[in-house]
Amino acid sequence: MNPKLTLILLLLLALTGCKEDSRVKIIKMGHAQVTAHPVHNAMVFLAQRLEEKSKGRIKVKVYPNQQLGTERELIELLQIGSVGMTKVSAASLEAFSPEISVFGIPFLFRDDAHTNQVLNGEIGTELLLSCQKFWLRGLCFYDAGKRSFYTKNKPVETPADLAGLKVRVQESKMAINMVRAMGGSPTPVAYGELYTALQQGIVDAAENNPPSFYNSRHYEVCKYYSIDEHTMVPDVVLVSTKVWEELNPQEQEWLQEAADESAVYQAQLWKESVEESMREVQKAGVIVSYPSKDAFREQVQSIYDQVEAENPVLARLIERIQNTRE
Ligand code: GCU
């Protein structure tokens, strides 16, 4: 064959190849957790479901372990559209969507049923969509259980045990206020840097749910886990509105469905993971205690009073959540 023709044919083939490829939308999804964590598996499930629904036309590539940035950085990358999706703690979203800070109010939720009622109802939808004005669209919540203190040197039995302790908190004003109200010294540290911060004594304590305490291996450094369950801060799956708007209505529907299905799947994984984590950390020598919650609850009454006095929007949201019943 004429070499010139061969070249043209090869070029055409390459171009068709590119055209094929460019029809496939690839969405990058970054998060801060390790791959053994149930939220990672739920995101992989979301990606599979979306690929199936779209017959391979939309692919989500999941990047764990802060590979694309800390939760705060990821949120900012979504806002400019350079990362398409993420899963962050609602606490990390506080600075971007003020209403979301309601999840940081300690002892607001009565139990799991109450939390689910709120998240799956009108308030949950409102909060997910409240991020849109900040170029972030919340697709669904993932269960992130209840957060409790873990410490290096002594258990936290009462708020007095927090005195003098540097307690790592998320980058959240509400979490800072909570630890301060309870008597500890709050120190914000990004999740991915926390193991070293604990090891090197930059902080003496932290707080999290059992799967994160276990999968992050913080239990290797912190041998006391005091289950006071002060907050129930859910995780939020977000898509950049820039990416969302580039999808046609059918694709948006697929993405929403895939996210909703992944939330159902994650809830199942979560329950198993909590049990496994509690078992494993104790096997590794962690002493688990169940302090009375009343003293902790009393200490944070000042947070409720302050919100009541200074933030009518949040106060109203708290009231609506308290009044949510089955
Ligand atoms: C939870 C949450 C994470 C978050 C972490 C933290 O584990 O699921 O998204 O990074 O808390 O304390 O920072």
Side-chain angles (χ1 to χ4, degrees):
M1 197 190 279
N2 174 338
K4 218 170 162 186
L5 196 61
T6 317
L7 196 69
I8 294 173
L9 274 175
L10 280 174
L11 253 170
L12 272 174
L13 260 176
L15 280 176
T16 338
C18 285
K19 212 171 160 211
E20 273 293 296
D21 271 350
S22 65
R23 289 218 318 250
V24 175
K25 291 186 179 154
I26 308 221
I27 304 177
K28 283 191 282 181
M29 180 173 201
H31 70 91
Q33 282 290 2
V34 295
T35 51
H37 198 285
V39 293
H40 175 75
N41 296 325
M43 284 178 257
V44 171
F45 182 84
L46 183 159
Q48 280 164 359
R49 291 300 294 130
L50 185 58
E51 196 166 337
E52 282 161 21
K53 284 174 193 288
S54 66
K55 307 225 167 13
R57 285 200 351 241
I58 317 178
K59 293 191 193 227
V60 173
K61 284 184 83 177
V62 183
Y63 297 84
N65 288 321
Q66 284 192 188
Q67 275 172 40
L68 302 184
T70 62
E71 293 201 347
R72 203 191 165 89
E73 287 162 352
L74 282 164
I75 295 172
E76 286 167 4
L77 290 170
L78 254 72
Q79 291 185 304
I80 55 170
S82 29
V83 171
M85 291 178 68
T86 187
K87 184 290 315 163
V88 293
S89 168
S92 303
L93 260 181
E94 251 180 47
F96 301 87
S97 168
E99 292 96 325
I100 292 270
S101 65
V102 79
F103 291 117
I105 301 281
F107 302 108
L108 174 59
F109 293 94
R110 292 184 290 276
D111 49 30
D112 292 344
H114 182 210
T115 313
N116 291 335
Q117 190 86 14
V118 172
L119 296 186
N120 299 327
E122 194 176 84
I123 301 179
T125 311
E126 271 172 40
L127 289 172
L128 287 175
L129 298 182
S130 73
C131 312
Q132 281 195 126
K133 46 186 181 291
F134 304 95
W135 304 281
L136 305 161
R137 186 181 171 97
L139 291 172
C140 65
F141 291 105
Y142 281 170
D143 196 345
K146 304 168 192 107
R147 300 178 74 96
S148 296
F149 292 111
Y150 47 84
T151 38
K152 284 177 76 173
N153 300 319
K154 55 169 191 177
V156 176
E157 298 299 352
T158 69
D161 294 319
L162 288 167
L165 286 194
K166 281 175 278 164
V167 183
R168 178 268 174 174
V169 288
Q170 294 175 275
E171 288 180 275
S172 138
K173 224 169 121 195
M174 213 41 106
I176 293 175
N177 290 347
M178 177 193 73
V179 167
R180 197 169 283 141
M182 287 182 180
S185 304
T187 313
V189 176
Y191 189 65
E193 276 87 66
L194 182 51
Y195 188 100
T196 318
L198 284 163
Q199 210 176 25
Q200 296 181 345
I202 294 165
V203 290
D204 315 297
E207 44 85 61
N208 220 317
N209 52 56
S212 300
F213 178 44
Y214 172 52
N215 286 302
S216 61
R217 307 173 80 96
H218 295 165
Y219 69 90
E220 293 174 352
V221 192
C222 293
K223 290 298 176 194
Y224 298 95
Y225 195 19
S226 308
I227 311 294
D228 70 318
E229 301 182 332
H230 44 256
T231 45
M232 291 168 121
V233 186
D235 280 347
V236 189
V237 174
L238 293 168
V239 60
S240 156
T241 52
K242 295 207 173 16
V243 171
W244 177 258
E245 278 153 21
E246 275 165 18
L247 300 177
N248 65 38
Q250 173 65 81
E251 292 169 335
Q252 291 178 344
E253 200 178 312
W254 286 329
L255 176 54
Q256 184 61 59
E257 280 171 13
D260 291 340
E261 287 167 27
S262 76
V264 174
Y265 179 64
Q266 192 267 347
Q268 288 163 12
L269 295 181
W270 186 259
K271 285 197 182 72
E272 292 158 23
S273 180
V274 169
E275 283 163 25
E276 185 202 357
S277 305
M278 291 304 285
R279 215 175 32 241
E280 291 303 320
V281 298
Q282 288 179 88
K283 245 198 245 166
V286 169
I287 296 166
V288 176
S289 60
Y290 294 85
S292 154
K293 295 181 187 176
D294 292 345
F296 293 92
R297 201 177 274 123
E298 273 164 33
Q299 288 289 119
V300 296
Q301 183 52 45
S302 57
I303 295 185
Y304 284 81
D305 298 342
Q306 195 182 355
V307 171
E308 184 69 43
E310 294 170 8
N311 193 335
V313 175
L314 206 54
R316 170 83 192 106
L317 196 51
I318 291 177
E319 199 186 327
R320 280 174 69 202
I321 291 178
Q322 284 168 332
N323 291 336
T324 302
R325 315 224 162 246
E326 273 170 86

